[in-house]
Amino acid sequence: AFTTATAMNRGIKKSIHLIQTVVVFFVFIVPEIDVVLGPQYVPFLANVLEQIEWGHQLVATAPILHKEDNAFVKPIRGHSVRGFVNTIFGCNEHCTYCVVPATRGMEQSRPMESILQECLDLAENGYEEVTLLGQNIDAYGRDMTPRRSFSQLLEYLNTNLPTKMRIRYTTSHPRYMSNNAIDAIADLDKVCECFHVPFQAGDNTVLKRMRRGYTFESYLRIIER
């Protein structure tokens, strides 16, 4: 069956292919460029630098399947109280002004267990607050089998994290923000009652041209909820 998700994924793949073609051509005509590296290849930076030392030009921008053994690079923390934890990589939306789907690839959710372990490691090192990260965090789990949700992730972390640990998140998409997520943020004791929902525009014509997928009226319904 040909679904909306299938059409969206094909559109993203076409955009990525076009960008990759342009990048390869640009590197070919500008030999001074050593490497064009997508953020998904940061875990392989040592291998990339080794290839450059051998005099090779590299273009590493193709989508890859993130795995916990290569996608997770231990971050350098710039704060001693609050830590940031990735929950989902990439984005399947295609807003007219945004390059994220073409540069970071399609949505790939991290397992709940891996997210929890990273949060527990932070707690053991004295951190008191974790901020969950996702370009469209409300999409968390929809690429999984069985399918999961952002509200389920919040409930899972709330149940298993130490009592004094606080949970925040960023960023919600008004098109996908669910009542279950709103209820979880309101009811769970470790989750801070703070909503991060970009407004973008208040004019439906502008929102449509931006391909945001929601209206001024639907955004207001989220606020009322």
Side-chain angles (χ1 to χ4, degrees):
F2 187 81
T3 64
T4 302
T6 302
M8 183 183 298
N9 289 342
R10 288 185 179 179
I12 293 173
K13 289 178 181 177
K14 288 181 179 178
S15 297
I16 293 172
H17 179 71
L18 176 60
I19 291 175
Q20 290 169 351
T21 302
V22 172
V23 168
V24 169
F25 176 75
F26 190 70
V27 170
F28 178 76
I29 63 174
V30 185
E32 290 81 7
I33 296 177
D34 293 316
V35 60
V36 177
L37 191 73
Q40 65 270 36
Y41 286 89
V42 170
F44 309 103
L45 186 58
N47 304 85
V48 170
L49 294 177
E50 183 178 352
Q51 291 297 315
I52 293 174
E53 287 182 353
W54 283 93
H56 299 152
Q57 279 184 302
L58 292 181
V59 176
T61 58
I64 62 173
L65 179 63
H66 289 285
K67 296 181 180 179
E68 288 301 309
D69 59 350
N70 63 23
F72 180 69
V73 178
K74 190 173 182 179
I76 298 175
R77 307 288 182 182
H79 201 285
S80 59
V81 176
R82 181 179 65 251
F84 295 93
V85 176
N86 282 313
T87 64
I88 179 172
F89 300 101
C91 182
N92 283 7
E93 303 308 304
H94 237 178
C95 302
T96 54
Y97 55 88
C98 185
V99 73
V100 167
T103 56
R104 294 185 178 270
M106 292 179 287
E107 293 166 355
Q108 295 183 50
S109 302
R110 292 182 66 196
M112 287 186 178
E113 296 77 12
S114 299
I115 296 170
L116 172 62
Q117 187 57 57
E118 187 176 349
C119 293
L120 289 174
D121 290 344
L122 288 171
E124 290 178 3
N125 285 281
Y127 285 79
E128 300 175 5
E129 181 174 305
V130 59
T131 299
L132 306 175
L133 301 178
Q135 187 71 27
N136 175 10
I137 204 164
D138 294 286
Y140 175 83
R142 67 179 181 179
D143 60 313
M144 290 177 159
T145 303
R147 188 179 177 120
R148 291 181 168 178
S149 68
F150 178 50
S151 60
Q152 289 175 324
L153 174 63
L154 290 176
E155 292 167 359
Y156 179 73
L157 296 177
N158 191 79
T159 299
N160 293 285
L161 286 178
T163 303
K164 294 184 179 181
M165 198 71 166
R166 300 187 300 270
I167 303 171
R168 298 182 186 272
Y169 79 97
T170 183
T171 305
S172 278
H173 193 304
R175 181 178 182 180
Y176 299 104
M177 192 170 188
S178 68
N179 288 338
N180 287 338
I182 294 174
D183 290 340
I185 295 166
D187 297 338
L188 298 177
D189 61 301
K190 297 185 185 73
V191 180
C192 298
E193 296 178 353
C194 178
F195 296 89
H196 187 207
V197 192
F199 187 68
Q200 299 290 351
D203 182 86
N204 287 339
T205 301
V206 174
L207 288 169
K208 184 176 181 180
R209 291 175 63 188
M210 294 169 75
R211 295 183 188 170
R212 290 294 289 166
Y214 62 90
T215 64
F216 171 76
E217 291 77 15
S218 65
Y219 189 95
L220 283 184
R221 285 195 291 271
I222 295 175
I223 303 301
E224 291 168 358
R225 171 67 179 174

